[in-house]
Each structure stands twice: as structure tokens, then as C-alpha cells.
Amino acid sequence: MIGAWPLVLWAALGFAAAWSGSARAGAYLFAGEANGVDVITHPRGYSGAGGTVVLNLCIEPGTPNEAAMRQSVANVAAVYNRLRPTIGNLRTGLIGPTQVDFESVALHELGHCLGLAHVNLASESGLSDPQANSTQSTDGADNTYDTDAGFDGFYGSGDDLRGDDVNLHWFRRDNDDPLTIADTVDNTTYARDTNLLPGGHSFAVNADRDVVVNVLDTPDTEAVMQQGTYGGEIQRHLVADDVATIRYAQAGLDEVAGTGDDYTIELRLAPQGTTSGCDITLDMNNTAGLAFCAARAASLPGSTNHLVITGAVMSFNPAYNWFFNTAGPCTATLNVPQNRWMQFSLPCAVGISTGATVADVLGDDLAGIYDQDWVVYRRDAGAQTYVKLAPTDVLDGGTGYWIYTTQAGQSFDVVGQYPAAPEVMLAGDGAGRPNLIGHPYDFSVSWVAAQFVVGSAVLSLDQAVSAGHVQRNYWIWNGTSYDAYDDQTPGMVRDLQPGDGIWIKVLTDGIRWRMRTG
Amino acid sequence: MCVLRSRLRWRAVCALCAWLAGVSVGWAQVEPPEPRPLLEYRARPQMLADGEPFRVAVYPDGSVIVDYPAHMKKAGRYTLRLDRAGLARILDLARRAAAFDAQAVRAQVEALRRRHVEETGVLRYRSDPLLETFSLAPSLAGGASERVLTWPNVVQDASEYGEIGALRSLADLQRALRGLAERPELRRVRP
């Protein structure tokens, strides 16, 4: 076991610990040669006992842009509370090319303040790109990072040759794919030791944008904890790797999920002007390069390799041309015909800055009384039944719905954040069970961009069809009947449109669907 | 005869070269090549993946060029002129900082960090640093060649590890150079 953590013992004995501080941070802050490569760092407030860890986020009163920051900080808190893995989380063209998205940077820095380190070697290694995109590690006995991109030529992928560098990036044991997540995240499904990598992999993969598009065939996607943002780019949703790293820590001291020391986190934005009871404080001051998280940590009693954050601040430099997000940058209006069924999906992400229930999304726009004048259904493919939603039921991206109204001239607005694509669980059987899914984006995408996660494998549409997991066709309700498409036969080609509900037939139970951006 | 013709050809070539040089000089006057600065400071936030660094350059005649990169509110190139005393002050700070030995300072920082951990049991972390680079002309570096000093988060580390004189000197220089970029007499010369 490499992970003996000598700090507490050495400190207690008064010996000099070979501590290298932030210079050797790992997938968890403070993991490294000095403190132990198996260090797991938990958010402030975790004591080793299970339950909910509540973290108050405070914005320093009077700091520049105090009011403008609030919506983004609230959004970031909601994203970490939801812990939803997505793909397609990189977007450009939505803010000015020289603007820096405050919310995206805050999402990254808050990850640090919760205990996460960079997934790549990053600038603390002293390396430059592309070598700095190699997966997070120590520099090994030779005190030099060994970076060899391997046969595929991409630093940070599974065939990297890393010499004596010791991996610090926790990976999914059955596939080493940072864009997928196991149902259970703990030491039975994730590991740091490269001896437990799947066959053919020599080092852990990190969700660097170049790796995921070129090796994992998934564009516009990157782990939030990969260092670096570009002007004009937004990245406001987590990917599976970000979620898995947090959930692994949440398995507690025993690193086994489902036991008494497990915890969840609940981030709350404190009221304006709050200065006490703050767990993480944000401010704007010119000591920041662009932005940073400064954190302190101490050992958790009774543990050899678990640390807890004891204090954290996030600072942002006000001299930069920050873009501050709003509650509803993504809006779409869907018209509902009178006395006819209509299928729809959500083109914007609700449940972050705006409500996500039927009442929140539809009830504020549609005339009449719910369940008398209008109604919404979803399909439960597992039970093969329709389910009438209650006004308090939550709507979600990637799902298709039916709506019906008796009222004329009705429409509703979907207002929320720019979306990324979630994974959607499908039900299947040998006959091809119909599943009602929803186009997850606010822009058009060809159906051939669909991916299917089967066990630990990610398949393209062609692969999933060939392997007999899904049928290639999909069906769109045109108001009176279904139109069939397959995106290859002349006359059956049509890009998925924002707001589309989509029927597909699934032949294998328990597989997942997700949509690439193209 | 043969020699004479050769000389005439040579003169013609020289005249052509001179004319071309004149044209070239004329064009260059539109955007004159910058002389090498005595002192240059570059700062690049490691969290920002694109764009140019923030830059302050001090020239022998006291002129200063400040480049704010495109992602900053003040994006553009600015100039100002230091008086003799102002230039001397900056250059004196640079000479004091010139002895900065990053490897030695790193070792001192590590020792102090270790001591802090031993005494308190508390680990400290700071993400996504500002990488700061100082280039000193040979006349300032006290040697035959330019000296380049690089350190992340100079002022923060100088504050945290105040015992390290070399860090304090570098921080003094950093503050002075960054202070130039805040001077009211800065004149914007390029967007």
C-alpha cells in the first residue's frame, strides 16, 4: 500500500515531513509524495460521521461586483448540489470573445475549495501544454515528470508512458473512461493504483478536451477540474469525472459506499452581507492572477489518508473582463396546440437558476387549471405505462414529455441555463421497447451524434445498432401521426430540433443514452 | 575593361540596395522596432489558457510600455516616461532583485512550509497561480547576459514567507513595476 500518510505521525514526533505543498497536488488536494498518494480530501465540515455537510458560500460584503457575482455563485452551488454528469459542457459564441466567464471559473475554483485538484499535471508541474495535459501524478523517484503521449499522440490518454511517475488520478476500474460513471462510486469500482487499470491502458485517462474528442470521440467536453479556461468560452456543467471524484470522497473514511460514514454536500449561498458562519468566502481583489482558491486542511482523526478542508477562500481579479451570468440566459418558447397532444423536451437546463417542476416551467404560462385544462405525461418505459405528472414533479433535460391543453393560443417559456447533455437510462427488451427521450440541447444536432453507454462501454449509434442494443430509426410526433427517421435513408433525414420529443426502440435493458454536440 | 564593368555593376547593385534600404526604413518608421528593454515583467495567469501576458517594459531612456492583454478591462498598449529619479529607483530595485536564485528560494520555502506543518498540522494550498517573469538586461544583472527570474505569486509568497529576503526584493520590484501600470499619466497608444 503506497498510501501511508506520514504527516500526522511526523508532525507528532517533531520530524521534518517531506512535504511539498501545492507543488505536488493530485486529483485530491494535498495528495502526493510527501503526504501520501492515496490522500482523499473532504470538504470543510466533514467529521468522519455520515450525513449532510452544509457549506455556506459567502460573498465578501463590499467587494467589487458583489451583486453581479451572486447569480453565478448560486448557480455553481446548484450544480454541485445536483452532481449530474454531462457531456457537451463546453460552449463558445455565447459571450464576447475577450470576456472570461465568471461562473465557469468559479465552478473550477469551488472544486478546489471542496478538495479537488487538477485532473492534469497543470501549471504546478512546471510543464507547458501539451505535456501539462498529462494525467495528474507525482514525478516519481527520478524527480522528473515522464510525459510520453504514447501511440495515439495525445497527452492524458490511456496509452501514455509515464516512467516512474505515480498516478494520482482516481479512475473507473472497468473502463478508465472519465466521461462515464459507475452506479456505485467507491473502492470497489474506482482505484488510483495503475495495476488495476483495464487491459490495454498504461496510465489513467483524464478528461482533457483533446483526449475526449480524439480518443473518446466526444466533442466540446472537458472535466471542470482540468486547468484552464479560454476567453469567450463557458463551462458551467460537471462531467462524470468531476462527479465521480466528489462521490468517491463521499463514500467516507472507509471508501465504501452505503456505509454509515457516507455524506452528501449541500452548498448554500448566504444572504448578502453575511460575514459569519461562512465556510467558503468569495471576493474580488487584485492579488489573484485570474482567480484562485486558497485552502487549508488538516488530518481527520482516526484516518491515515483522509484530510478535511478547514478553511477556504476564492478570489477573482477585478481587472479582468468578467462575464456575469444571469438567471435565464437560455430561453425558448414552445407553442401548444389546442385539443391535440404535443411532444416536447426542455431546450434549456432548469433546476439551476430557475424552478424545474411542472408548475414552475409550465404553470406560470399556461391558462387554466392543471389536470382539468392542461396536463403533462411522461413515459415510464420500464413499466411500459404513461405517468401523469403532478404539478410538483420535476422536469428534466433529455426526457420527452406529452402535453395537452383545452385552451386556445397557448405557449410556455422554458427559461434556464445553457444545457449540457445528461445520461438517460433506457429500458429495453427483445421486441424493441419504445422509450420517449428528449433532445437535450438548444441547437440542432444530427441523430447520428447519439451515444449509448452499455455497461462500461460507450458505443456510437452505428455500433449500438450493429450490436443489437437499439434500432436505428426514431420517431417524431407531427401533431397527428409519427414521422420515422434514420438519418441515412433519403427522405428520412432530419436533425433533432430544440424541444423535440423522440421515440426510440431499445433492445437491451439498462443501457444509457446521451447526445454529443455533433 | 572587365574590371571596370564589374565595378559599375557593383555600384548599381549598391545603389539599388541603398534605395531598398531607404524604402524599408521608411516603412519601419511607421512601426519602429522596439529597442530591447532594460527590464521587462510578464505575468500570465495559469488559469487562462489563451491570450498574451500582462507586460511592463522599461527602456534605457525612461520610457515604459504597458501591455494589458485582450481579456483585461484596460486591454491595449500604454506608455509613459519616467524621469531620471523614477527610472533610477526602478533600476535599483531590479539590481537588488537580480540575485534571486529560484532554486535556493524554493528550498527555503519548502523548509518553512515543513516547519509550519510540523508546528500546526495544517496544510496550505493555493490554486492556479500567476506565473511572473522578470527579464533583466546584462547591465542590471551584473553579468554578460540577460537574467530571467520566474516565480509564481511573488507578492503572496513574499507575504507568506517574509523571512526570505530574496522573495521580498522580488516582490518590491513586482510592486514597483505593476505600480507603473496604474499611473495616471499612462497614455494609451494602441487598443
Side-chain angles (χ1 to χ4, degrees):
Chain A
M1 173 103 175
I2 305 171
W5 180 57
L7 176 66
V8 173
L9 178 64
W10 289 13
L13 296 177
F15 294 151
W19 181 63
S20 53
S22 62
R24 298 288 186 275
Y28 290 100
L29 297 188
F30 307 108
E33 287 173 354
N35 304 323
V37 291
D38 285 321
V39 157
I40 307 292
T41 303
H42 301 272
R44 180 179 163 121
Y46 180 60
S47 64
T52 300
V53 174
V54 176
L55 293 155
N56 289 314
L57 309 181
C58 302
I59 299 174
E60 184 71 25
T63 201
N65 302 304
E66 180 186 0
M69 292 160 75
R70 288 192 68 80
Q71 184 64 57
S72 282
V73 177
N75 294 349
V76 165
V79 168
Y80 276 111
N81 289 339
R82 285 157 54 107
L83 280 184
R84 296 210 182 162
T86 65
I87 60 170
N89 70 334
L90 293 175
R91 299 280 298 269
T92 55
L94 300 172
I95 65 174
T98 61
Q99 290 182 304
V100 183
D101 187 47
F102 173 80
E103 188 166 317
S104 303
V105 176
L107 192 68
H108 176 91
E109 298 305 336
L110 186 53
H112 287 312
C113 286
L114 294 173
L116 306 185
H118 293 134
V119 297
N120 58 318
L121 286 176
S123 61
E124 56 263 33
S125 65
L127 299 172
S128 301
D129 287 351
Q131 288 82 0
N133 291 326
S134 302
T135 299
Q136 185 63 273
S137 72
T138 73
D139 57 10
D142 63 3
N143 291 322
T144 301
Y145 289 104
D146 303 306
T147 55
D148 182 329
F151 181 75
D152 65 19
F154 294 101
Y155 293 92
S157 66
D159 71 347
D160 282 16
L161 302 170
R162 298 294 303 274
D164 67 355
D165 295 356
V166 177
N167 174 46
L168 293 173
H169 185 277
W170 293 76
F171 57 87
R172 184 174 170 179
R173 291 167 64 159
D174 59 4
N175 65 3
D176 188 22
D177 182 340
L179 296 187
T180 69
I181 188 166
D183 292 335
T184 298
V185 179
D186 64 11
N187 63 14
T188 65
T189 52
Y190 282 76
R192 187 211 47 75
D193 183 348
T194 49
N195 289 318
L196 297 172
L197 281 166
H201 285 227
S202 53
F203 215 76
V205 179
N206 82 76
D208 166 73
R209 67 183 67 199
D210 292 329
V211 170
V212 300
V213 68
N214 291 294
V215 181
L216 303 179
D217 198 22
T218 305
D220 303 319
T221 303
E222 187 167 67
V224 165
M225 295 316 295
Q226 222 274 3
Q227 186 186 43
T229 189
Y230 288 82
E233 177 178 271
I234 68 169
Q235 185 184 25
R236 299 172 180 163
H237 298 275
L238 304 174
V239 304
D241 188 66
D242 303 308
V243 175
T245 313
I246 290 175
R247 283 183 53 193
Y248 190 93
Q250 291 180 343
L253 299 182
D254 60 7
E255 298 172 33
V256 176
T259 56
D261 64 355
D262 294 6
Y263 68 95
T264 57
I265 55 172
E266 184 181 334
L267 305 180
R268 297 175 181 166
L269 174 59
Q272 194 161 4
T274 301
T275 56
S276 62
C278 303
D279 297 295
I280 299 169
T281 300
L282 297 89
D283 71 4
M284 285 232 165
N285 72 65
N286 58 14
T287 66
L290 177 72
F292 67 80
C293 160
R296 293 167 186 264
S299 64
L300 268 168
S303 165
T304 56
N305 68 316
H306 286 255
L307 299 175
V308 63
I309 301 285
T310 55
V313 298
M314 292 161 61
S315 283
F316 302 81
N317 191 328
Y320 279 85
N321 189 15
W322 293 106
F323 176 85
F324 295 100
N325 194 14
T326 60
C330 177
T331 61
T333 301
L334 302 180
N335 297 315
V336 188
Q338 183 183 23
N339 294 328
R340 278 165 53 186
W341 286 101
M342 183 183 96
Q343 281 182 358
F344 74 96
S345 64
L346 300 178
C348 303
V350 298
I352 298 171
S353 54
T354 52
T357 66
V358 171
D360 293 331
V361 178
L362 300 148
D364 59 339
D365 291 322
L366 297 180
I369 298 169
Y370 188 71
D371 206 18
Q372 288 184 22
D373 302 299
W374 60 279
V375 69
V376 179
Y377 280 83
R378 68 174 175 83
R379 179 71 178 177
D380 182 342
Q384 299 193 77
T385 58
Y386 281 112
V387 177
K388 183 166 66 181
L389 300 187
T392 54
D393 282 343
V394 168
L395 302 173
D396 210 352
T399 302
Y401 299 96
W402 285 106
I403 186 170
Y404 188 96
T405 180
T406 60
Q407 308 292 301
Q410 296 297 294
S411 65
F412 63 92
D413 299 322
V414 181
V415 180
Q417 295 299 316
Y418 293 115
E423 275 189 3
V424 176
M425 180 69 85
L426 304 172
D429 57 30
R433 185 175 297 187
N435 285 246
L436 181 55
I437 58 177
H439 181 51
Y441 293 118
D442 57 329
F443 51 87
S444 304
V445 178
S446 166
W447 174 237
V448 297
Q451 286 182 332
F452 295 87
V453 183
V454 182
S456 60
V458 179
L459 307 180
S460 67
L461 174 63
D462 285 341
Q463 291 169 326
V465 170
S466 296
H469 297 300
V470 294
Q471 291 186 11
R472 187 178 180 94
N473 288 46
Y474 64 96
W475 292 265
I476 303 280
W477 179 251
N478 64 18
T480 53
S481 63
Y482 287 108
D483 296 326
Y485 301 95
D486 63 9
D487 266 357
Q488 62 182 12
T489 306
M492 295 179 69
V493 176
R494 170 193 181 274
D495 283 352
L496 300 181
Q497 303 297 319
D500 273 353
I502 310 147
W503 283 103
I504 60 172
K505 287 190 175 177
V506 181
L507 300 153
T508 302
D509 197 39
I511 67 173
R512 293 179 168 93
W513 163 75
R514 67 189 194 188
M515 202 67 192
R516 295 179 299 170
T517 55
Chain B
M1 183 68 179
C2 191
V3 172
L4 180 64
R5 280 171 63 176
S6 174
R7 281 180 180 165
L8 285 172
R9 198 180 300 130
W10 176 241
R11 283 177 185 166
V13 168
C14 287
L16 180 63
C17 287
W19 181 78
L20 285 172
V23 170
S24 145
V25 166
W27 281 7
Q29 281 168 350
V30 175
E31 190 68 52
E34 291 173 14
R36 289 190 62 78
L38 273 176
L39 177 60
E40 187 179 43
Y41 167 77
R42 289 170 180 264
R44 183 185 286 280
Q46 300 300 288
M47 184 56 196
L48 202 51
D50 62 347
E52 294 297 309
F54 169 77
R55 175 177 172 266
V56 179
V58 179
Y59 293 85
D61 64 353
S63 62
V64 174
I65 290 181
V66 177
D67 287 317
Y68 279 96
H71 301 315
M72 298 188 82
K73 287 178 182 169
K74 289 185 179 174
R77 169 163 289 191
Y78 301 77
T79 62
L80 64 81
R81 176 75 67 131
L82 291 172
D83 59 22
R84 188 170 294 185
L87 178 63
R89 266 196 300 276
I90 288 277
L91 299 186
D92 184 49
L93 289 171
R95 286 190 192 92
R96 287 186 206 177
F100 185 87
D101 177 347
Q103 199 172 345
V105 171
R106 199 171 295 121
Q108 288 176 280
V109 165
E110 287 301 311
L112 289 168
R113 279 176 169 165
R114 252 182 257 133
R115 196 173 79 194
H116 173 80
V117 173
E118 289 161 12
E119 289 172 357
T120 65
V122 173
L123 298 161
R124 292 185 290 201
Y125 172 82
R126 187 182 174 110
S127 68
D128 304 308
L130 179 71
L131 192 64
E132 301 177 271
T133 303
F134 304 78
S135 302
L136 281 61
S139 60
L140 293 174
S145 57
E146 181 186 64
R147 186 153 165 68
V148 178
L149 316 173
T150 301
W151 193 261
N153 296 336
V154 170
V155 167
Q156 291 74 33
D157 277 1
S159 165
E160 201 156 338
Y161 305 105
E163 304 94 321
I164 305 175
L167 259 180
R168 286 202 313 272
S169 296
L170 199 60
D172 289 342
L173 177 61
Q174 192 255 42
R175 285 192 203 92
L177 288 167
R178 293 192 76 106
L180 297 177
E182 301 298 329
R183 296 265 285 258
E185 64 266 38
L186 275 178
R187 189 169 57 87
R188 190 175 193 161
V189 294
R190 198 190 293 168

